[in-house]
Amino acid sequence: MSNIVIIGTQWGDEGKGKIVDLLAEYAENVVRFQGGNNAGHTMVVNNRQFISHLVPSGILQGKTCFIGNGLVVDPAVLIEELDDLEKQGFPIPPDKLKISEQAHVIMPYHRRIDHAREIKKGKNKIGTTGRGIGPCYEDKATRRGIRFVDLIDPEFFKDRLSTILEEKNFYLTQYLQSESFEPQPILDEYTQYADRLAPYITNVSAVINRCIKSGQNILFEGAQGTYLDIDHGTYPYVTSSNTVAGNACCGAGVGPTAIDSVVGIVKAYTTRVGEGPFPTELSDETGDAIQKKGAEFGATTGRKRRCGWLDAVMLRNAMRLNGVSGTVITKLDVLDGQESLKICTGYEADGQRLDEFPVSLKVLADCLPQYEALPGWAESTSGIRRFEDLPFNAQRYLERIEELTETPIYIVSVGPGREETIIRKNPFD
Ligand code: GDP
Ligand code: IMO
Ligand code: MG
């Protein structure tokens, strides 16, 4: 029996979807524990691409999937995803997907507030995905949220919505100069969602803990990445949930003793979507070339991802924050053909060397990354399936990452397809 948490170690989009899909073969259950449809997780199976925003990435392997209490769920998006999966030949009955009755529901006013706030912030905007994630988590924390258990209780839902709308409408019209909402259309729309999703809603913590007791393997699927974590990321340019591995317990309703190991996904270079600091960003033709070759466009919003060199300062910090047992290096093939590569091994600020990732945005803005250069390789790596067959300089690059992170590399990904993978150690073994 083995329960494994998979998380992103950078700013998201490290390739978590591909690796969760790959490793789901060895687990009976896959659990999302935070975030919402700000996530976009890509799986490529038999040359077909699937992008999932809410349904865990174990679904194509036919595993039982869970949406934990730590998520904020837009029911319209979830239903659309279920319909799409069915059209593509993957019908999802209630025994294959379970939604926590405690997960919070994204409402239309959350999305509208998210948009209107970004407009009001102007050049100081966060660059959110506009899906209403922040405003929904905000309502959870201030105890004005609507959970699935509330949504399927018509009387309670109606009362709660009318109280909430009083305040939301005031804020929307008076502060954000946006439009207000009438309760009835929301009630009508969300009652339909409640009817459709009711068979999937359950006590997820109880079910998962039963699975653990009976010896089944669980894969916990993180969304976003360590530097988008509300506590540990580049605040305020972060998302509104804890993205680090520790939150797998809280967001799924299991105790820390249930977790056996943590796998950290590392993209072979760095990307970021949205605003915020990015010390190793490349605003030149090398950055453009990586963006193009890596097809670095957001899987949720389609925005171009900013690209830069690998940052080992960030990675060391991420290994510590998540207690990473082993890493998966993804998109190595995107670096094929680069004459030379750089890895940031430290920062210099005010003439002083910093070995830790700074917390102050001001210090971060003034940081000069200190680079180590390594020779590149000309050969294509995408057809390679054994570490020893990789070009010598690619092996050297990977071994240097292992040294700098003080963490073993379990898997190397050399293409988007499930099979385009080099497995050195299966974390379930
Ligand atoms: P996630 O949010 O962490 O699941 O990552 P995304 O799906 O948003 O972005 C990763 C992108 O890279 C997707 O388009 C994947 O299909 C693709 N991808 C994953 N691994 C590899 C790889 O090793 N090589 C290449 N070229 N593409 C990859
Ligand atoms: P996956 O799971 C990359 C970013 C947004 C923005 C910030 C806040 O696919 O790795 P939000 O809408 O969450 O309030 O936006 O977080 N962001 C992501 N960036 N990958 C993601 O998810 C992201 N989810 C949110 O771009 O900068
Ligand atoms: Mg993504």
Side-chain angles (χ1 to χ4, degrees), residues 39-43 49-53 81 298-300:
H41 295 180
T42 314
M43 297 155 266
Q49 189 192 65
F50 299 83
I51 297 177
S52 125
H53 301 288
E81 219 159 84
T300 296

Side-chain angles (χ1 to χ4, degrees), residues 19-319:
I19 303 303
V20 171
D21 167 72
L22 175 83
L23 293 179
E25 183 181 343
Y26 309 97
E28 283 84 4
N29 310 285
V30 182
V31 185
R32 275 277 307 266
F33 55 88
Q34 46 71 230
N37 61 310
N38 47 352
H41 295 180
T42 314
M43 297 155 266
V44 177
V45 183
N46 298 329
N47 292 319
R48 273 168 78 194
Q49 189 192 65
F50 299 83
I51 297 177
S52 125
H53 301 288
L54 282 165
V55 174
S57 305
I59 203 75
L60 302 180
Q61 296 268 21
K63 304 304 164 131
T64 306
C65 289
F66 294 86
I67 290 182
N69 58 276
L71 273 87
V72 290
V73 178
D74 189 325
V77 174
L78 180 57
I79 290 169
E80 199 183 316
E81 219 159 84
L82 294 178
D83 289 346
D84 269 1
L85 279 163
E86 178 153 13
K87 264 191 229 137
Q88 307 213 42
F90 298 93
I92 316 294
D95 64 322
K96 280 287 171 217
L97 177 73
K98 302 194 182 293
I99 306 168
S100 167
E101 51 199 359
Q102 291 163 305
H104 279 248
V105 180
I106 294 183
M107 304 296 292
Y109 46 80
H110 292 136
R111 288 191 300 267
R112 193 170 290 174
I113 290 171
D114 197 354
H115 280 289
R117 258 194 204 147
E118 287 280 275
I119 292 168
K120 196 172 169 85
K121 280 198 178 123
K123 67 175 181 35
N124 294 323
K125 70 175 190 218
I126 304 285
T128 72
T129 59
R131 304 300 195 256
I133 306 294
C136 188
Y137 273 119
E138 205 173 299
D139 278 359
K140 173 177 175 176
T142 51
R143 293 154 293 184
R144 287 191 221 100
I146 292 174
R147 300 166 302 164
F148 275 95
V149 69
D150 307 323
L151 181 70
I152 55 176
D153 177 343
E155 281 309 305
F156 184 86
F157 178 49
K158 190 173 172 199
D159 278 0
R160 194 143 170 92
L161 182 66
S162 71
T163 317
I164 294 170
L165 274 187
E166 245 178 68
E167 192 184 330
K168 297 295 172 197
N169 282 340
F170 178 79
Y171 181 61
L172 274 164
T173 56
Q174 303 301 302
Y175 182 70
L176 293 173
Q177 281 81 48
S178 186
E179 283 163 42
S180 60
F181 283 97
E182 288 299 324
Q184 198 54 49
I186 300 182
L187 280 173
D188 293 344
E189 182 186 344
Y190 276 67
T191 303
Q192 284 183 29
Y193 300 151
D195 292 345
R196 169 80 192 269
L197 294 176
Y200 296 88
I201 299 169
T202 189
N203 182 335
V204 159
S205 162
V207 181
I208 297 177
N209 279 280
R210 273 202 298 276
C211 295
I212 293 174
K213 271 215 170 107
S214 68
Q216 296 184 4
N217 287 348
I218 322 267
L219 198 51
F220 294 90
E221 175 181 7
Q224 288 82 54
T226 303
Y227 289 87
L228 289 171
D229 182 282
I230 182 97
D231 284 282
H232 301 290
T234 46
Y235 191 90
Y237 296 97
V238 294
T239 191
S240 298
S241 64
N242 283 114
T243 61
V244 292
N247 194 31
C249 295
C250 193
V254 302
T257 47
I259 308 298
D260 297 294
S261 69
V262 177
V263 173
I265 314 295
V266 178
K267 197 180 278 190
Y269 46 95
T270 314
T271 62
R272 167 160 215 171
V273 216
E275 311 304 315
F278 184 170
T280 64
E281 182 168 13
L282 284 164
S283 313
D284 58 7
E285 64 272 22
T286 308
D288 287 348
I290 293 175
Q291 193 276 330
K292 281 206 185 76
K293 186 149 188 225
E296 294 293 355
F297 290 98
T300 296
T301 57
R303 290 177 291 179
K304 246 189 193 180
R305 294 175 183 150
R306 300 154 63 191
C307 296
W309 293 123
L310 190 73
D311 188 335
V313 182
M314 285 176 68
L315 293 182
R316 270 200 304 268
N317 195 37
M319 298 303 124

Side-chain angles (χ1 to χ4, degrees), residues 285-352:
E285 64 272 22
T286 308
D288 287 348
I290 293 175
Q291 193 276 330
K292 281 206 185 76
K293 186 149 188 225
E296 294 293 355
F297 290 98
T300 296
T301 57
R303 290 177 291 179
K304 246 189 193 180
R305 294 175 183 150
R306 300 154 63 191
C307 296
W309 293 123
L310 190 73
D311 188 335
V313 182
M314 285 176 68
L315 293 182
R316 270 200 304 268
N317 195 37
M319 298 303 124
R320 189 188 70 230
L321 289 167
N322 294 288
V324 173
S325 324
T327 60
V328 176
I329 311 296
T330 60
K331 305 193 91 160
L332 185 73
D333 55 299
V334 175
L335 299 179
D336 296 351
Q338 287 285 341
E339 214 167 286
S340 96
L341 301 164
K342 284 185 182 170
I343 300 180
C344 168
T345 54
Y347 298 146
E348 209 179 280
D350 253 347
Q352 295 222 324

Side-chain angles (χ1 to χ4, degrees), residues 377-395:
W377 56 94
E379 306 90 322
S380 162
T381 56
S382 54
I384 295 173
R385 300 289 173 265
R386 293 189 328 164
F387 191 85
E388 313 77 78
D389 296 338
L390 283 167
F392 176 75
N393 286 343
Q395 293 189 33

